Amino acid sequence: MTPQQRRTARHSGPGEASTTSVRRGPSGGTKKPITVEAIISTAFGIVEKNGYQALTMRRVADALETGPSSLYAHVVNKEDLDELLIGRLCAAIELPEPDPASWRRQITSVCSQLRDQYLRYPGISRAAFAVAPSNLDTLRVSEGILALLLAGGIDPQAAAWATDSLTLYVNAYSLELSLVNRQLSDGDGSWVVSRDELLRRYAALPGTFPHSKRYAAELTAGTGHDRFDFTIGLMIDGLAQR
């Protein structure tokens, strides 16, 4: 079965057997075999340590002590690997049984879970942008969000667009926070400033920015995921008022 055929099988349902590449050469018997699982695990390790920007097929191959061509026996290309990684993260999301009485809280929980999964691996939510999801685990999450919105009485068209908007916001929020954390961890935090510094900069603005100067405290308020919770709540409340 070719990588393309295996990818098609993954999208059509469970049951695809994982293939194994047998190592050849003098050290072949002492190395772990190459499987889809080994590739995914290695890729996650690279992202966790160095960030998503460091993830390449060659780097995964080097970590597995093989050549990139060996990986293509299992995954079609980097985009296919990205899809597998996002799918694996989505598989860990717990989807509740839709409850019309608590659908808002349920959606917030799902979005928060997805955010936390992305934040485990710096920048990985970038892999979820500009792609049409076909991985069943990824589709399971969007299906779950759609079901919750419909249970809340949201019009089907609004629910469909809201599913896209909610996941897009989670992706963007996670990516931005990952970029900030990366700058701080790399020791070059010159572009990440404290709230006190932000307040000083707002105060120094010319008079042509009256609102920014007056409401600087509000513009810089919030700790933890306060802004995330506010935005998700704002989107959900807006839907409920339609």
Side-chain angles (χ1 to χ4, degrees):
M1 183 182 290
T2 67
Q4 287 84 354
Q5 290 171 326
R6 283 194 290 276
R7 184 173 187 271
T8 300
R10 289 200 300 267
H11 297 163
S12 62
E16 183 214 0
S18 177
T19 59
T20 302
S21 291
V22 178
R23 301 275 195 169
R24 293 182 171 83
S27 61
T30 64
K31 296 179 182 178
K32 292 182 180 180
I34 299 174
T35 64
V36 172
E37 288 300 317
I39 294 171
I40 292 173
S41 177
T42 301
F44 272 134
I46 292 170
V47 176
E48 185 173 25
K49 183 178 180 180
N50 304 110
Y52 175 74
Q53 77 284 348
L55 181 63
T56 63
M57 296 295 280
R58 177 167 293 281
R59 194 154 189 173
V60 173
D62 289 345
L64 289 170
E65 299 182 47
T66 187
S69 60
S70 297
L71 304 186
Y72 295 124
H74 305 277
V75 295
V76 179
N77 49 30
K78 172 62 162 47
E79 288 71 24
D80 188 25
L81 177 58
D82 286 344
E83 187 174 64
L84 286 168
L85 296 177
I86 297 298
R88 183 59 54 85
L89 296 180
C90 287
I93 304 299
E94 295 182 6
L95 297 175
E97 185 67 27
D99 180 2
S102 58
W103 66 277
R104 294 176 178 170
R105 176 180 57 79
Q106 290 179 320
I107 289 180
T108 300
S109 173
V110 172
C111 290
S112 297
Q113 288 183 67
L114 186 58
R115 174 203 68 202
D116 291 343
Q117 285 293 98
Y118 285 152
L119 292 179
R120 291 173 58 198
Y121 301 98
I124 202 168
S125 64
R126 183 180 299 173
F129 282 106
V131 294
S134 52
N135 182 283
L136 296 182
D137 288 317
T138 304
L139 288 169
R140 184 185 70 93
V141 173
S142 60
E143 167 76 12
I145 294 175
L146 180 59
L148 293 172
L149 289 166
L150 294 173
I154 306 303
D155 173 79
Q157 183 62 77
W161 284 342
T163 298
D164 178 66
S165 298
L166 285 163
T167 53
L168 184 62
Y169 174 70
V170 174
N171 293 350
Y173 176 89
S174 302
L175 178 58
E176 181 185 50
L177 192 55
S178 292
L179 293 173
V180 170
N181 290 337
R182 177 189 166 199
Q183 288 191 22
L184 291 173
S185 64
D186 288 347
D188 180 20
S190 57
W191 292 102
V192 182
V193 299
S194 67
R195 188 187 185 203
D196 287 343
E197 173 61 16
L198 283 175
L199 289 171
R200 188 193 67 75
R201 293 185 183 185
Y202 277 118
L205 288 172
T208 50
F209 296 85
H211 299 302
S212 296
K213 290 170 68 70
R214 180 176 180 180
Y215 298 107
E218 288 80 3
L219 289 168
T220 59
T223 58
H225 295 303
D226 287 347
R227 291 170 181 254
F228 179 90
D229 295 337
F230 170 80
T231 304
I232 295 295
L234 188 67
M235 296 171 75
I236 294 173
D237 289 345
L239 288 167
Q241 293 173 11
R242 288 179 62 91

